[in-house]
Amino acid sequence: MTGPRRFRAGRFLDAAAVHAAADANPRLRQFLRTVAAHSEAGEVRSRRLLEHLIRRVVDDVGDLHLGNALNRLERIAVLRERIAGILDHVLEGSALPEGVRVETLGESFEQLRTEMRELSRPRDGIVGDAPLRLAEDAGAYANSLLREFEAGGGASGLHSEPAAAVSDAFRAMPANRKAALRRAAELEPTALWRAVTAETESGKRAAVADLETRLGGRLTPGELSRLRTAVEDLGRARSRGLQMTGARLTEALARIADPDLRALVAGGDVWLTQQLAVHNPEALATLWRRFRDRGGRADDGPGFRAYLRHDMVTYGRGVLGEYSAAFSLSSIELFLKGPDANVKVAGTDLVGIGHDGWVWLLDDKSHRATSVSGVSSLTENLVTNLRRDAADFRDAIARLQRDDPGFTPDPRILDAISRMEDAAAEIDRINRRGSASTRPARISRALEERRLRLRVTSAAGEVREITQALRDLGLAVEPTGTPVPLPPTGGR
């Protein structure tokens, strides 16, 4: 049997994801049908059992892998200390510690290399080519899983059926829908519950189609139509109940100081507004303040939800775009300014040095539009951003030198910073003097002379071209490979 669990990785699994996987896998679907057929609780209990089994196995496999990794890290730490001690003696020109041979250094390096290699291959490092066994006796392991499941009353992990929410939805239905549901429950109870609890759209369609096939000829077309609507209502109520309980919502509301926002969340959308209130109340308060500052009404729940969704999608796409661009630009050898989550902060997104020594200044425009006409960080704000980035890089070098007096900065980086500062001074002079009609060409030439490139990426967008005015300044769109798929424009 596996040892005591310390990490509990299974608790992080999302219940909806577990059930979606079960709906999508033929063998798991068969498991659910078999268990449901031999259980008084039917489909409900079989799904809870499957979720419990998956969480427990993830717990045990996680303990096996993470425990092995910790042991290796401890051995790596010992080896590093041993190697460091030997090197200290060698560098100081003193005799090696008693009992330590020169050959020991090579052996220690070889052991360190082996441990590092096995650390990157956790399964091979634990069992090699042998099967991954979680216990010496499979039967005893299975019995322990079932005992644990029964001890919990058949509830599993983070998921329990929101029976109250489903019952409330049933009671609120018109009488003819209730009648259709009761009739289906008498004839095909398992198939009906499978249709109500399906977690995915495709799973829902398949389950409803299966239910209607089983009921063929026993319900009238009108009853089937009302049954479909009733199943949809119950499924939606169940999903809402899984996402939010009364206790969780009450706790979230208690943390909201603004009475208008509290009222809006109380009657708001469970998928977005209430979830944000539970998981990130600080962000909710900030976004509410911005919404109101921009003229949003205190009672406009749908308007605030639309504002939240737009902000989340835009922000998420910006972060995804920056990181994807950074990891897709093989021409850049060294980043002076890498991607981060502060996509709303003004300035350049990325600054790097290419293999040819040119400095790249990049702005990611992961927009849905195919063309861009404005890149303020690389045009009207270019001088400010060049100076700010250069100053930040020099400050970072100064901090490193304070922390480590022996630190020597890479000459390429110092040269790149100097060229950025020189370009800022020259472009500032161009902006203040000379004909406006020749300004773009002069700025482009100044950048080229100092080996600076201005590039636009769209790693999570559709931008493929820029206007002639931007091209005149020396900007170009830099491809980043296959675009990251964008989220849908719609939403619940």
Side-chain angles (χ1 to χ4, degrees), residues 175-193:
N176 56 1
R177 289 186 198 169
K178 291 181 181 177
L181 274 172
R182 289 193 179 99
R183 180 69 174 147
E186 292 172 0
L187 298 172
E188 294 290 342
T190 301
L192 173 61
W193 185 243

Side-chain angles (χ1 to χ4, degrees), residues 53-317:
L53 293 176
I54 291 175
R55 289 187 191 279
R56 171 65 185 276
V57 170
V58 170
D59 278 346
D60 293 339
V61 174
D63 285 346
L64 196 61
H65 284 283
L66 292 172
N68 177 73
L70 284 178
N71 291 336
R72 289 196 181 280
L73 288 171
E74 289 173 358
R75 291 197 293 272
I76 287 170
V78 171
L79 285 168
R80 290 181 62 184
E81 289 179 5
R82 181 190 305 168
I83 291 170
I86 296 174
L87 289 177
D88 284 344
H89 281 80
V90 172
L91 293 174
E92 292 170 2
S94 58
L96 291 174
E98 184 177 352
V100 175
R101 299 172 291 109
V102 174
E103 293 81 0
T104 304
L105 185 59
E107 294 169 0
S108 297
F109 271 116
E110 183 59 35
Q111 291 176 24
L112 181 60
R113 185 161 41 248
T114 299
E115 295 290 353
M116 293 294 290
R117 182 175 62 250
E118 297 300 339
L119 185 64
S120 66
R121 301 186 304 166
R123 188 188 188 283
D124 292 343
I126 297 172
V127 297
D129 296 329
L132 182 63
R133 300 180 62 186
L134 296 179
E136 293 300 321
D137 186 287
Y141 183 68
N143 287 333
S144 76
L145 289 172
L146 292 175
R147 283 196 303 271
E148 188 176 79
F149 177 69
E150 296 297 341
S156 178
L158 303 176
H159 169 71
S160 59
E161 282 297 328
V166 175
S167 297
D168 289 344
F170 177 78
R171 285 193 292 270
M173 285 182 185
N176 56 1
R177 289 186 198 169
K178 291 181 181 177
L181 274 172
R182 289 193 179 99
R183 180 69 174 147
E186 292 172 0
L187 298 172
E188 294 290 342
T190 301
L192 173 61
W193 185 243
R194 188 181 302 121
V196 170
T197 59
E199 302 283 355
T200 64
E201 290 297 328
S202 60
K204 174 76 73 176
R205 287 194 297 270
V208 170
D210 176 65
L211 175 62
E212 292 186 6
T213 299
R214 292 172 181 270
L215 293 172
R218 295 188 283 179
L219 267 69
T220 67
E223 287 177 318
L224 285 175
S225 176
R226 290 189 289 275
L227 176 63
R228 280 192 294 271
T229 303
V231 166
E232 184 66 27
D233 290 344
L234 289 185
R236 188 181 300 110
R238 176 179 177 272
S239 294
R240 292 176 68 93
L242 287 172
Q243 293 293 325
M244 185 64 62
T245 64
R248 290 181 76 198
L249 181 58
T250 299
E251 183 180 345
L253 293 174
R255 292 196 297 263
I256 300 175
D258 187 305
D260 292 326
L261 177 58
R262 188 164 56 247
L264 186 145
V265 171
D269 170 61
V270 68
W271 308 106
L272 186 59
T273 313
Q274 291 182 359
Q275 291 298 314
L276 189 59
V278 168
H279 296 291
N280 198 338
E282 295 82 7
L284 177 69
T286 298
L287 291 167
W288 172 249
R289 206 160 45 243
R290 292 177 186 168
F291 175 74
R292 297 286 284 127
D293 289 344
R294 297 183 182 188
R297 297 196 324 272
D299 61 348
D300 187 5
F304 182 54
R305 184 196 183 282
Y307 176 79
L308 284 181
R309 189 180 188 284
H310 177 269
D311 187 272
M312 288 181 175
V313 171
T314 303
Y315 176 82
R317 192 161 62 232

Side-chain angles (χ1 to χ4, degrees), residues 417-435:
I417 296 173
S418 295
R419 282 185 277 143
M420 291 172 64
E421 292 168 335
D422 190 36
E426 177 62 15
I427 295 171
D428 188 27
R429 186 188 65 80
I430 291 172
N431 286 335
R432 289 184 284 104
R433 301 177 186 175
S435 170

Side-chain angles (χ1 to χ4, degrees), residues 317-372:
R317 192 161 62 232
V319 173
L320 179 62
E322 275 194 31
Y323 277 89
S324 298
F327 283 97
S328 302
L329 296 169
S330 59
S331 298
I332 296 181
E333 182 178 351
L334 173 67
F335 275 105
L336 304 180
K337 182 179 184 180
D340 57 38
N342 300 318
V343 295
K344 294 185 178 181
V345 175
T348 55
D349 291 334
L350 304 166
V351 179
I353 301 175
H355 295 286
D356 55 4
W358 282 62
V359 175
W360 294 55
L361 290 92
L362 298 115
D363 193 292
D364 188 78
K365 295 293 186 185
S366 288
H367 300 163
R368 294 185 183 277
T370 59
S371 180
V372 164

